[in-house]
Amino acid sequence: MHAIDSLDEYTQNDHLKEWIKEAIALCQPKDVWLCDGSEREYKELCQRMIKNGTMIPLNPSKRPNSYLCRSTADDVSRVEDRTFICSKTKEEAGPTNNWSDPDEMRKTLLKLFKGSMQGRTLFVIPFCMGPLHSPLSHIGVQITDSPYVVCSMKIMTRMGKEVLNVLGNGFFVPCFHSVGMPLHNNQKDVPWPSNPQNKYIVHFPETREIWSYGSGYGGNALLGKKCYALRIASCMARDEGWLAEHMLIMGFTNPQGQKKYIAAAFPSACGKTNLAMMTPSLPGWKVEVVGDDIAWMKFGEDGHLYAINPEAGFFGVAPGTSANSNLNAMQTITKNTIFTNVALTDDGDVWWEGMTPQPPEHLINWLRHEWSPNSQEKAAHPNARFTAPIKQCPVVDPDWESPRGVPISAILFGGRRSTVAPLVYESFNWEHGTFVGASLSSETTAAAAGQVGKLRHDPFAMLPFCGYNMGDYFAHWLSFGRKADPSKLPKIYYVNWFRKDAQGKWLWPGYKENSRVLKWIFERVDNKAAAEKTAIGNLPTKDSLDLQGLNLEENDLKQLLEVDREAWQQETQYMSSYFQQFGPHLPEGIKTELNALIERLRS
Ligand code: O2Y
Ligand code: MN
């Protein structure tokens, strides 16, 4: 920790010094903590939070250096309806974002932030998104009044003094955060301070600024993640000629030791974490994880596309995670982990729905209530999370921190579709692949506030995360591909693990069996596996998918690989009416691809 009187020693960055002083004058905190990112600092903040009731230390013989935090019932997920893109004009934000006039929004925020940290500590967190010395990385500084955010940022990013050395007097994205609950006249604090009436997650793309007020949870508060690495970074990527994507990155190695890297975009809580660290059912095949949520990609000097994971931790969904569904995740979170909104067991450990086949007899649930298997309430909130360092994952890729990134051979788009979409298909080329990404839709999950299970368009799985007009984003993808040597571009695929039959039964077992689909993709990239050309793309022939030992019924496979012409014709209508909202921002390339699909479905 450094106090404010050591500011000149702390950083040489003139803009940073000025901004810190302005923030102090505005928020009026009781003191200031300039974070150094040390273990000592982390421990001290955890002790503070234990004292305040924010953190419960877990039983160290079960889960060393791990903690449970429980939010309030109204601060449990990202709040998309309170997330704003304040570009100069509404048109620049586009029809899929909440827009607000930047000057008006600035006035609103200045009023809210005024005195907002009274009675609290103002923390300054320098952080780097990506490996410290990578040319693909970018720096941010978060100011916050939440020690929970400081500790989470320590796990999720490269954070602390070294970042300031790399930053020098250079550019950083200011990320301004307050939980929005000042403490007046020695008012007693609460374990999870927030301001449910006044939540604002605000992005100023032109000035590359983030302001977040009123929430202490996840993507609303850990501003390096969705706010910076996706919303602001997508604008930086558009302007600088790279890609900032909602994608996992994984290495996939065949029994002969040949390895390819795959990036995959799926909407929130659709199994990216499970796929990124999966144990393949296919003998001899291996998955290694680079990242489970975000990819920054740029062409290397050799003309291939390289990706880094800007994050250093996992912020994974706990419910449903088990030794069965994701053993590597379970092993990652055995120590040094912060759990949020899971249940507490009588022996000081954590539990959530799906963790074990049998629930414990007694728990304290995420709402701090006594819980038994007969309770009406959930043990863990459906969006309960673990925050753990990537380096603890047993299958972390040896190149996960490579400054040049890893070369990407295939890009996958996927969604949660119980009907229509087949198990897998390959796009014909980059333009068609861009169209496949643009027309993605998926059934909603608990990762964001709102109705669960409703089909919504989620282009590129970026609907909640694109910092500018989504039509222009499609254009960026198209022009990005045009600049490349087509023979070096990754191939683009669509996958759907969530197909059901008419009775609602899952048609595909998913999880480790998804390696069978990845194997087909791997071999397609090498022009080895067979495919059949259909109206929507190239599908596996019946024999080109390795289904050995799966006991998949013939009829189930037929449904998984079927292209129902009528259903797809309806799908194109659904796409067409969705695309209309982009008006003149919808690029010709997308219209051409849609018309070509309609035509192929006719003939
Ligand atoms: O902020 C939250 O409540 C979780 S959202 C999240 C967390 C990790 C990875 N992805 C997401 C997402 O919403 O896509
Ligand atoms: Mn995500």
Side-chain angles (χ1 to χ4, degrees):
M1 174 199 182
H2 303 261
I4 185 63
D5 49 12
S6 60
L7 187 58
D8 283 330
E9 244 172 73
Y10 183 65
T11 175
Q12 317 302 307
N13 193 289
D14 297 325
H15 175 209
L16 179 55
K17 283 193 267 195
E18 207 178 296
W19 180 51
I20 293 171
K21 286 178 196 161
E22 277 169 19
I24 294 168
L26 179 65
C27 303
Q28 302 155 26
K30 85 170 178 325
D31 53 19
V32 176
W33 185 314
L34 306 172
C35 296
D36 59 22
S38 63
E39 278 307 312
R40 217 181 89 195
E41 175 176 84
Y42 183 85
K43 292 243 152 79
E44 204 176 319
L45 289 176
C46 290
Q47 286 310 316
R48 266 199 188 195
M49 284 190 275
I50 291 166
K51 230 170 126 190
N52 194 46
T54 307
M55 268 187 167
I56 298 170
L58 296 174
N59 183 338
S61 70
K62 299 207 160 269
R63 244 171 254 272
N65 193 28
S66 297
Y67 302 91
L68 167 63
C69 298
R70 294 174 296 206
S71 75
T72 48
D74 48 22
D75 197 20
V76 291
S77 58
R78 289 187 294 99
V79 280
E80 292 180 7
D81 59 338
R82 304 303 306 157
T83 300
F84 299 89
I85 302 294
C86 297
S87 41
K88 267 195 212 111
T89 64
K90 185 170 166 49
E91 193 175 344
E92 284 163 287
T96 61
N97 279 315
N98 290 325
W99 176 81
S100 186
D101 176 81
D103 295 335
E104 290 302 314
M105 181 57 88
R106 230 173 252 285
K107 279 188 212 150
T108 304
L109 290 170
L110 281 169
K111 262 194 219 148
L112 289 168
F113 274 79
K114 189 164 181 211
S116 68
M117 297 189 189
Q118 281 175 20
R120 299 194 180 278
T121 301
L122 179 153
F123 300 94
V124 178
I125 315 168
F127 63 94
C128 183
M129 300 311 292
L132 258 189
H133 296 286
S134 167
L136 282 82
S137 297
H138 293 278
I139 289 177
V141 180
Q142 178 159 357
I143 286 180
T144 182
D145 52 5
S146 161
Y148 169 83
V149 165
V150 179
C151 291
S152 303
M153 289 290 283
K154 161 120 174 104
I155 297 175
M156 294 304 296
T157 69
R158 284 87 174 170
M159 182 275 248
K161 262 189 331 222
E162 297 81 9
V163 177
L164 291 172
N165 296 337
V166 175
L167 174 65
N169 208 10
F171 168 80
F172 67 93
V173 170
C175 306
F176 202 3
H177 171 245
S178 172
V179 294
M181 198 194 141
L183 296 168
H184 301 293
N185 308 322
N186 292 326
Q187 180 188 338
K188 195 173 158 7
D189 202 359
V190 293
W192 188 274
S194 68
N195 188 334
Q197 283 78 40
N198 268 314
K199 286 188 190 171
Y200 285 87
I201 320 298
V202 181
H203 309 74
F204 296 97
E206 280 100 5
T207 50
R208 315 276 200 240
E209 280 170 84
I210 300 160
W211 294 55
S212 164
Y213 185 88
S215 167
Y217 200 86
N220 303 330
L222 313 181
L223 302 186
K225 193 172 178 58
K226 303 299 186 180
C227 298
Y228 186 164
L230 289 175
R231 296 193 193 98
I232 292 296
S234 61
C235 299
M236 292 162 66
R238 169 201 57 191
D239 297 345
E240 297 165 10
W242 48 284
L243 297 174
E245 301 301 324
H246 190 202
M247 291 182 182
L248 66 85
I249 310 165
M250 64 193 266
F252 193 45
T253 306
N254 72 8
Q256 290 71 45
Q258 290 154 338
K259 183 171 192 173
K260 295 190 197 305
Y261 286 95
I262 295 173
F266 300 96
S268 304
C270 283
K272 284 209 299 294
T273 307
N274 290 343
L275 186 67
M277 56 183 85
M278 169 234 284
T279 307
S281 61
L282 292 175
W285 289 78
K286 185 167 75 177
V287 165
E288 287 163 302
V289 59
V290 176
D292 75 331
D293 196 39
I294 299 175
W296 285 355
M297 301 190 283
K298 200 173 185 172
F299 290 115
E301 274 166 18
D302 60 3
H304 288 280
L305 188 62
Y306 285 81
I308 61 161
N309 173 11
E311 302 190 279
F314 300 122
F315 187 59
V317 184
T321 307
S322 68
N324 220 0
S325 68
N326 192 341
L327 181 59
N328 289 319
M330 293 303 283
Q331 288 175 344
T332 306
I333 59 179
T334 51
K335 57 186 177 188
N336 308 323
T337 299
I338 300 174
F339 295 90
T340 308
N341 287 345
V342 302
L344 180 67
T345 65
D346 291 348
D347 57 359
D349 201 2
V350 286
W351 193 84
W352 47 78
E353 279 77 7
M355 182 180 182
T356 53
Q358 291 303 319
E361 283 302 306
H362 177 261
L363 295 165
I364 303 296
N365 79 353
W366 74 281
L367 289 162
R368 300 154 205 250
H369 300 154
E370 302 281 332
W371 186 95
S372 77
N374 298 325
S375 298
Q376 297 299 304
E377 286 177 353
K378 294 262 188 209
H381 185 276
N383 192 38
R385 298 275 167 169
F386 53 78
T387 311
I390 294 180
K391 62 175 184 249
Q392 288 184 188
C393 183
V395 294
V396 67
D397 191 85
D399 274 341
W400 83 278
E401 295 203 273
S402 161
R404 68 198 288 252
V406 295
I408 300 297
S409 299
I411 293 176
L412 278 46
F413 294 114
R416 197 178 271 272
R417 293 294 306 263
S418 41
T419 60
V420 185
L423 178 64
V424 57
Y425 63 91
E426 180 186 70
S427 66
F428 300 126
N429 50 41
W430 184 270
E431 284 77 14
H432 180 224
T434 300
F435 168 74
V436 170
S439 47
L440 208 70
S441 48
S442 186
E443 289 143 24
T444 50
T445 67
Q451 206 184 335
V452 171
K454 205 172 154 260
L455 188 66
R456 77 166 180 181
H457 285 276
D458 191 349
F460 290 79
M462 282 289 278
L463 180 72
F465 307 123
C466 183
Y468 60 103
N469 191 311
M470 186 67 88
D472 297 341
Y473 168 92
F474 300 157
H476 177 54
W477 261 76
L478 289 168
S479 76
F480 189 77
R482 275 182 216 122
K483 281 182 213 132
D485 171 350
S487 71
K488 291 179 177 170
L489 276 171
K491 285 192 161 196
I492 300 180
Y493 296 83
Y494 178 88
V495 297
N496 176 26
W497 321 130
F498 299 95
R499 190 69 192 267
K500 290 180 178 169
D501 68 8
Q503 285 69 47
K505 181 195 82 166
W506 297 112
L507 286 170
W508 181 249
Y511 299 104
K512 60 186 186 216
E513 305 301 351
N514 295 336
S515 58
R516 297 171 188 274
V517 174
L518 298 185
K519 179 183 173 186
W520 181 78
I521 289 170
F522 187 105
E523 291 174 348
R524 284 295 296 167
V525 169
D526 283 343
N527 288 318
K528 283 188 181 147
E532 183 187 344
K533 187 170 179 196
T534 75
I536 63 167
N538 298 321
L539 264 81
T541 56
K542 229 175 73 190
D543 303 324
S544 61
L545 267 182
D546 183 346
L547 300 175
Q548 224 185 5
L550 196 57
N551 293 327
L552 197 69
E553 280 176 32
E554 186 74 28
N555 191 39
D556 287 357
L557 180 63
K558 190 166 158 273
Q559 290 181 71
L560 281 165
L561 297 182
E562 148 181 284
V563 180
D564 178 334
R565 202 168 278 270
E566 249 173 55
W568 271 94
Q569 276 164 343
Q570 269 177 28
E571 186 84 5
T572 55
Q573 283 170 20
Y574 174 62
M575 290 172 190
S576 177
S577 61
Y578 181 72
F579 286 144
Q580 269 169 24
Q581 69 180 313
F582 299 108
H585 289 266
L586 186 71
E588 280 306 317
I590 297 293
K591 289 184 214 163
T592 307
E593 288 298 331
L594 177 61
N595 290 334
L597 173 60
I598 292 170
E599 206 41 55
R600 289 194 300 271
L601 286 165
R602 247 190 228 131
S603 52

